[in-house]
Amino acid sequence: MVDPTVTAGNGTESAKNHFTKAVEQAKAGAQALAGEYKDKFSQTKDEWTSEAKVKSEEAKEKAGTFAADAKVKAAEYAVEGKAKASQAIVGLSKVIDDNSALIDEKVGAKYGDYARTASKSMQDAAARLDEKSLEDIGEEAREFVRKSPGLAIGIAAATGFVLARLFRGK
């Protein structure tokens, strides 16, 4: 006769072996699955990174193009503004010159001469403005600010006040 405890012990042992093998197979399967997903994730991450780099380069290129266009437009407006400023100075000079005879009559010849001198100075300033490039004007402005920062701030404030009053309409 067979001892039931020995048979039961062999069955328990066999079940433990099967269970251990099943756990090992499950672990191996889980590791294989994790490796597969890790590879897929890595590949997807690489694709997203590549795509992001391409988009970034496109954005940089568009920004560079926009900046270049803006620089060209700003230069065009600056040249146009310089020409208009010169024309305005010449126009004001002509008005003063045209009225110098009236100033002679009303106030005196001495003040008429002052007006003519001012008119001539304004015409000379307009001619110098026309002759200079924007770079030269910019450099002179920077040099002026370096030499007299307080005066530059005062002129900027006064100009801002006059422009504000002019555009506000009062």
Side-chain angles (χ1 to χ4, degrees):
M1 187 167 216
V2 179
D3 186 8
T5 57
V6 172
T7 309
N10 286 341
T12 304
E13 213 41 57
S14 175
K16 282 183 183 180
N17 286 339
H18 284 301
F19 181 74
T20 303
K21 285 181 183 178
V23 168
E24 287 174 8
Q25 287 177 348
K27 282 182 183 179
Q31 287 176 347
L33 188 61
E36 184 181 321
Y37 280 112
K38 183 178 178 184
D39 290 343
K40 284 183 181 181
F41 176 74
S42 179
Q43 181 182 6
T44 303
K45 183 182 103 182
D46 291 344
E47 289 172 3
W48 287 350
T49 302
S50 295
E51 192 174 315
K53 285 180 183 177
V54 168
K55 297 262 187 209
S56 175
E57 291 300 319
E58 288 174 1
K60 285 180 185 177
E61 187 177 316
K62 286 180 182 179
T65 302
F66 180 75
D69 290 346
K71 189 174 183 179
V72 168
K73 278 290 189 193
E76 289 173 2
Y77 288 141
V79 168
E80 186 180 316
K82 182 183 100 163
K84 286 184 179 185
S86 178
Q87 290 171 354
I89 292 170
V90 168
L92 183 57
S93 168
K94 286 181 181 180
V95 169
I96 292 171
D97 200 36
D98 291 345
N99 288 306
S100 61
L102 182 62
I103 293 171
D104 284 340
E105 284 179 27
K106 299 286 182 178
V107 185
K110 181 179 177 181
Y111 295 104
D113 289 341
Y114 288 147
R116 281 184 276 286
T117 302
S119 173
K120 177 67 175 141
S121 295
M122 291 174 79
Q123 288 174 357
D124 292 344
R128 284 192 309 271
L129 182 62
D130 281 338
E131 292 172 359
K132 292 185 180 183
S133 69
L134 291 175
E135 291 82 21
D136 292 341
I137 293 170
E139 185 56 41
E140 285 180 7
R142 282 188 287 280
E143 188 63 31
F144 175 75
V145 170
R146 275 188 222 114
K147 287 181 180 179
S148 306
L151 184 58
I153 291 172
I155 290 171
T159 303
F161 177 75
V162 168
L163 289 175
R165 299 289 289 189
L166 185 78
F167 288 118
R168 194 167 46 155
K170 291 185 180 181

